[in-house]
Amino acid sequence: MKKFGIRDLVNAGVFSLLTVMATWCGGMIGFIPVLMPLVPFACGLVSGPVFMLYSTKIDKFGMVLIMGIVFGLVFSMSGHGAIVLPAIIVLSLICEMILKKGGYKSIKTARLTYMVFMIFAAANLIPIYFARDAFVQSLIDQDYGAEYAEKLLSVMPTWSFIPVVLVGMLGGYLGCTIGIKILNKHFKKAGMA
């Protein structure tokens, strides 16, 4: 097993932050309550190309785990709940196994990895679906207002949990596909094409 070097840690840190920022940008559509069901899709669509560039730098176990820890910490500290960090760590370990199985040189495996990683949207959405009263109160406490909270819950009925997560995975797939097209020369350089 290859050891981590300084370059690996720098790549993991920088690309983790870039992917978090891209995800965060995609999530901004959630400020319009009727668009909340599309937030996981937008997050995957916007951050997929960044992850695909990162995948050209991944050649050892642990680099997706670092990204997952960064994601988990950022989303936990921004009020998405305590479940987010452990859920993303578990998903990251699954993603590490997928990438390893592909020998770190498969574009298809890298895309599948990010689709699986996008399941983290489920952890972010748990309060909306399974602690609705507390979630509404937290929105009101954060000055979003009762009207925003009611509108958001009206477009996120309890049955929509799995479809919203699946749509997030689709966003990850499409984002990675766009990334593959944009970054084709980088994949060839990394020996992945």
Side-chain angles (χ1 to χ4, degrees):
M1 183 180 211
K2 295 180 184 178
K3 289 186 179 179
F4 261 80
I6 299 288
R7 187 175 183 175
D8 297 317
L9 290 173
V10 169
N11 278 331
V14 169
F15 279 100
S16 296
L17 291 174
L18 289 172
T19 309
V20 166
M21 286 191 303
T23 302
W24 205 276
C25 289
M28 291 296 108
I29 68 168
F31 284 114
I32 303 168
V34 294
L35 295 179
M36 186 57 86
L38 298 176
V39 165
F41 177 83
C43 291
L45 189 66
V46 174
S47 62
V50 180
F51 178 78
M52 290 310 291
L53 179 58
Y54 180 38
S55 73
T56 66
K57 312 287 184 200
I58 298 173
D59 62 354
K60 58 185 62 73
F61 194 91
M63 294 181 80
V64 174
L65 180 60
I66 290 171
M67 184 179 80
I69 291 169
V70 171
F71 260 80
L73 290 172
V74 168
F75 282 95
S76 293
M77 289 187 297
S78 63
H80 286 83
I83 187 73
V84 174
L85 181 60
I88 291 179
I89 288 173
V90 169
L91 279 171
S92 298
L93 290 170
I94 293 167
C95 290
E96 289 282 4
M97 289 185 259
I98 293 169
L99 268 179
K100 188 174 182 180
K101 188 167 178 139
Y104 302 104
K105 293 292 178 192
S106 166
I107 293 173
K108 290 179 182 177
T109 304
R111 180 169 42 197
L112 174 63
T113 296
Y114 202 61
M115 286 176 61
V116 170
F117 188 82
M118 285 307 299
I119 296 172
F120 89 87
N124 282 345
L125 298 173
I126 284 173
I128 296 173
Y129 289 102
F130 302 104
R132 287 172 93 81
D133 294 337
F135 180 75
V136 167
Q137 189 57 52
S138 74
L139 288 177
I140 292 168
D141 292 345
Q142 296 173 42
D143 295 326
Y144 281 95
E147 185 180 337
Y148 174 90
E150 286 172 29
K151 191 66 158 172
L152 189 147
L153 292 183
S154 73
V155 297
M156 303 280 285
T158 52
W159 60 263
S160 69
F161 179 71
I162 291 176
V164 167
V165 172
L166 292 175
V167 165
M169 292 175 72
L170 175 63
Y173 176 85
L174 293 175
C176 288
T177 302
I178 292 167
I180 290 166
K181 292 189 184 311
I182 293 170
L183 304 167
N184 202 15
K185 66 180 177 185
H186 293 285
F187 289 114
K188 287 180 180 158
K189 210 190 275 188
M192 294 175 72

